[in-house]
Amino acid sequence: MKLKLTPTQNLCVGYLESGFKLIQMGEQFYFIKGERRQKVLPKTLDALVNRGALDYTEQGDYMLSDEFIEHRKRMREMNDPKQTRH
């Protein structure tokens, strides 16, 4: 898994982490949450799959990969200012 993401890829991950759903309307993909809708390019989704951040399910859905979720969790724990380092 390539852990380095572009700002756009990081934004897409943030949408998914904050509860947005990814839907496809025709050939276009959107992040949807309530009345909010944000367009995302298919090539961005493909790049996230290639980097290991997203998995593509048999049902045709994109979701954050378990490996990537664990990576983000570890990164947050490392950057937690409440933890003391010796």
Side-chain angles (χ1 to χ4, degrees), residues 47-66:
L48 286 167
V49 169
N50 291 337
R51 290 176 184 267
L54 289 182
D55 284 333
Y56 189 71
T57 68
E58 290 178 11
Q59 294 78 24
D61 298 324
Y62 288 95
M63 57 185 274
L64 291 174
S65 69
D66 292 338

Side-chain angles (χ1 to χ4, degrees), residues 3-82:
L3 303 178
K4 194 84 167 158
L5 300 179
T6 68
T8 300
Q9 293 166 350
N10 226 350
L11 184 64
C12 290
V13 167
Y15 277 123
L16 292 171
E17 288 178 325
S18 64
F20 279 75
K21 301 294 179 203
L22 183 61
I23 65 163
Q24 183 174 2
M25 296 170 66
E27 296 294 314
Q28 186 57 55
F29 290 90
Y30 295 93
F31 290 108
I32 302 282
K33 185 175 184 182
E35 296 295 317
R36 297 182 62 196
R37 179 169 70 175
Q38 176 63 46
K39 183 177 175 179
V40 61
L41 297 175
K43 70 179 185 177
T44 302
L45 297 175
D46 290 342
L48 286 167
V49 169
N50 291 337
R51 290 176 184 267
L54 289 182
D55 284 333
Y56 189 71
T57 68
E58 290 178 11
Q59 294 78 24
D61 298 324
Y62 288 95
M63 57 185 274
L64 291 174
S65 69
D66 292 338
E67 184 181 9
F68 187 75
I69 291 169
E70 283 302 312
H71 165 71
R72 291 287 263 218
K73 184 177 176 182
R74 285 191 308 272
M75 295 305 291
R76 285 189 184 108
E77 288 171 356
M78 285 177 41
N79 291 326
D80 187 356
K82 294 177 186 171

